[in-house]
Amino acid sequence: MALRNLLAAALALALGAPLAAQMQPTPKASFGAGPYETLVIRGATVITGNAGPPYGPADIIVKNGRIAEIRSAGTPGLAMAQNRPPQDATREIDATGMYVLPGFVDMHGHQGDAQKMPDPSYAFRLWLAHGVTTIRGNPLYGGNAARALEEKRLAARGEIDAPRIFAYQTLGSGWDGGRVQSPEKAREWVRWAARAGIDGIKFFNRGDETPAIVRAAIDEAKTLGLGTVAHFYGHFESMLDGRRVQDTPADYNFNNEQQRFGGIAEIWDQIHPPGGPEWQAYLKAQLATGVVFDPTFNIYSASRDLMRAKNADWHVRYTPPVLRNFFLSNRDNHGSYFFDWTSTNEVTWRNFYGRYMRLINDYKNMGGRVTTGSDPGFIWQSWGFGYILELEMLQEAGFAPLEVIQAATINGATTLMEPKGEAPDFGLIRVGMRADMVIAPENPLANFKTLYGTGTERLNDATNRQERIGGIRWTIKDGIVFDAPALLASVARDVAAANAAVADPAPAP
Ligand SMILES: [Zn+2]
């Protein structure tokens, strides 16, 4: 933050003025086209979402937002047949040589904090530009359930440019019934939430959330078809070796975020051996109760390599100064905890990641369901970009690329619909499903980096020059077609304008 801004901020604080603008209304939809009576996507290779083998070339015929038919467009290696039906489509997309996969599901979404970006469409545009067609708000708009539910309705009707929203809210938020401090009150809130259209409960395991209250809320949620999700750091605390509580420094203070986030990793060598009986027993207990793991690897990745996260390719064009200032280390902002980050901290985090990733991969191999979430807007990770990083990190954990796509699509859809007692109608490229699709010119199974809005770099052998390739070409949600590069260009324009309005737009060294 430039000195001038710092002084202005200090002055604003002293005068009691708000530091940032209020959250703005979400603009009306303007980037999507459709849904169409008949939309045909021609000549693509299909990646189904259920880890089945990719196939193609195929034509996908979408009618009124649903996949009506998938037809062979020819044989690999031969010219495709000409004049393939239907010939009366309202819109044609030539995806010859491209790859089609189901729209991505981000199981850990946040958005709606004016301190980070007052324009809510910023996050929505970046999500859509990275192929995310469904998000679980975990929650959205802080505790403002009314706003989250309104956005959910507007997104479902295509009135705002946004992914489909599943609105999860914290216990006691959004109603005028007061704090939830008894099991009966918890049940009362869940009944209210179900009537209001809230899809599930987000637990933080703190404050009023005693075990008895959480049990009552979960029990009522199961009866009424609401999902439940908890922030959870307890995997390795459940398999400590030779002690019952993590060994922490004597001056450890949970509210000191460098100590808290440093401590998450410092447990890595206090546990039973990976793969040993205690490790297996822990995972089997999770599997027996049907717990779904949503590891959000990406959101802590700055901890293992702070310089990389701060200087990621996308910040220059896509991170506005207000968000960059939020990320810069300070003692107030949640997740901005690099007060005096050391080589030792980074080495510890790398060791922790090795074990954490193995745990998640072992769970998948044992039959446990793993989903993909980004937890964006903290710790130098932004909307969309962090989601693609999550795909890369699932692969690093040992997932085959097809398993990564499965985690990112049908696994999320199943997890969101399961509490409602319904099979998902999105998350697969299959006849009858909602037309949620990602269309990309490069094969994502060969390189997930190609899905970043900034693409990736490749040497052009014809010119011996490095080029940026990749990016998603179109994202389709409920048959509405979004031009991903146009979404990115609009965000880049907004960020350039915001940079022009501050004294020192360059990231702090
Ligand atoms: Zn979160």
Side-chain angles (χ1 to χ4, degrees):
M1 185 186 275
L3 185 60
R4 198 179 313 176
N5 293 349
L6 202 65
L7 291 173
L11 192 66
L13 267 182
L15 297 173
L19 270 178
Q22 293 297 301
M23 210 60 210
Q24 296 163 5
T26 306
K28 281 191 173 21
S30 62
F31 286 94
Y36 299 93
E37 198 183 314
T38 308
L39 162 70
V40 187
I41 297 127
R42 299 269 188 208
T45 299
V46 175
I47 298 170
T48 58
N50 61 7
Y55 65 90
D59 293 343
I60 301 170
I61 297 133
V62 173
K63 287 187 185 290
N64 301 313
R66 291 217 178 232
I67 300 174
E69 206 178 340
I70 304 174
R71 303 172 65 103
S72 170
T75 304
L78 298 178
M80 281 188 276
Q82 297 298 301
N83 303 315
R84 304 189 298 275
Q87 286 295 314
D88 59 347
T90 335
R91 168 133 188 223
E92 295 242 358
I93 287 179
D94 182 5
T96 304
M98 295 192 187
Y99 295 80
V100 176
L101 45 163
F104 298 138
V105 182
D106 190 335
M107 293 294 280
H108 196 136
H110 296 290
Q111 113 100 325
D113 180 351
Q115 206 188 347
K116 295 175 187 171
M117 190 57 180
D119 175 359
S121 75
Y122 167 78
F124 289 148
R125 282 178 284 164
L126 283 179
W127 258 319
L128 287 170
H130 287 88
V132 174
T133 52
T134 301
I135 56 170
R136 175 165 65 185
N138 231 13
L140 304 182
Y141 298 99
N144 188 342
R147 177 88 190 250
L149 289 169
E150 177 64 5
E151 307 273 283
K152 174 187 164 178
R153 279 187 285 271
L154 293 171
R157 292 200 296 255
E159 292 179 25
I160 56 173
D161 297 317
R164 177 178 305 111
I165 293 169
F166 284 75
Y168 278 48
Q169 292 291 325
T170 51
L171 205 54
S173 69
W175 76 340
D176 50 16
R179 279 170 70 176
V180 171
Q181 291 178 305
S182 70
E184 191 34 56
K185 195 87 165 193
R187 290 180 185 276
E188 220 179 287
W189 182 85
V190 175
R191 289 194 289 269
W192 170 84
R195 284 196 301 275
I198 288 170
D199 296 291
I201 312 170
K202 166 68 180 284
F203 295 106
F204 277 98
N205 300 316
R206 64 181 189 225
D208 293 334
E209 295 177 11
T210 64
I213 285 175
V214 170
R215 267 196 296 273
I218 291 174
D219 185 60
E220 196 69 26
K222 278 186 176 158
T223 309
L224 296 175
L226 270 72
T228 54
V229 60
H231 256 285
F232 183 65
Y233 291 94
H235 295 305
F236 288 164
E237 286 180 311
S238 305
M239 50 180 107
L240 285 165
D241 186 9
R243 50 173 64 87
R244 300 298 301 271
V245 174
Q246 181 179 348
D247 188 18
T248 50
D251 67 347
Y252 180 88
N253 182 339
F254 184 80
N255 288 351
N256 176 329
E257 284 209 344
Q258 172 155 335
Q259 284 191 332
R260 189 197 318 173
F261 285 92
I264 289 169
E266 284 155 12
I267 200 170
W268 78 278
D269 60 353
Q270 300 182 28
I271 61 172
H272 288 288
E278 295 85 359
W279 177 282
Q280 293 298 113
Y282 172 75
L283 289 178
K284 279 181 187 155
Q286 296 283 12
L287 187 64
T289 49
V291 172
V292 176
F293 286 177
D294 188 58
T296 60
F297 290 131
N298 80 96
I299 197 58
Y300 307 106
S301 62
S303 307
R304 69 175 184 179
D305 192 351
L306 178 57
M307 194 193 295
R308 178 191 195 276
K310 277 182 67 171
N311 296 294
D313 285 359
W314 46 86
H315 289 312
V316 173
R317 290 189 66 168
Y318 300 107
T319 304
V322 60
L323 183 57
R324 199 167 51 239
N325 286 339
F326 182 89
F327 289 150
L328 285 173
S329 297
N330 69 78
R331 289 185 180 269
D332 300 322
N333 295 345
H334 176 51
S336 304
Y337 54 78
F338 305 103
F339 309 151
D340 184 13
W341 203 245
T342 64
S343 311
T344 305
N345 285 123
E346 293 197 350
V347 169
T348 305
W349 263 94
R350 284 172 206 168
N351 286 325
F352 170 77
Y353 263 119
R355 293 193 166 180
Y356 182 33
M357 286 178 161
R358 171 156 181 196
L359 186 80
I360 300 298
N361 194 47
D362 284 358
Y363 192 59
K364 177 259 296 170
N365 288 343
M366 169 184 289
R369 192 187 305 147
V370 176
T371 57
T372 305
S374 68
D375 203 4
F378 301 99
I379 326 178
W380 295 101
Q381 298 304 329
S382 190
W383 291 264
F385 297 102
Y387 189 84
I388 304 305
L389 178 56
E390 188 70 14
L391 304 184
E392 288 198 271
M393 293 182 80
L394 284 165
Q395 185 177 7
E396 183 182 345
F399 285 50
L402 282 173
E403 292 176 330
V404 174
I405 297 298
Q406 185 177 30
T409 58
I410 189 62
N411 282 7
T414 302
T415 304
L416 289 170
M417 295 308 292
E418 209 162 45
K420 301 175 191 293
E422 292 171 33
D425 64 351
F426 61 98
L428 292 177
I429 303 293
R430 178 185 279 174
V431 170
M433 288 276 167
R434 290 173 184 269
D436 289 2
M437 298 180 207
V438 177
I439 305 178
E442 297 280 331
N443 183 355
L445 301 174
N447 189 358
F448 287 124
K449 290 183 193 301
T450 60
L451 296 175
Y452 286 115
T454 41
T456 188
E457 289 159 347
R458 182 183 288 162
L459 189 71
N460 182 335
D461 281 330
T463 61
N464 195 28
R465 301 231 172 203
Q466 177 181 289
E467 292 176 352
R468 278 218 166 253
I469 54 117
I472 288 165
R473 182 63 191 85
W474 293 282
T475 299
I476 303 178
K477 187 203 89 173
D478 280 334
I480 301 172
V481 179
F482 293 93
D483 184 300
L487 289 166
L488 288 167
S490 76
V491 172
R493 274 195 303 276
D494 291 353
V495 170
N499 277 333
V502 298
D504 178 14

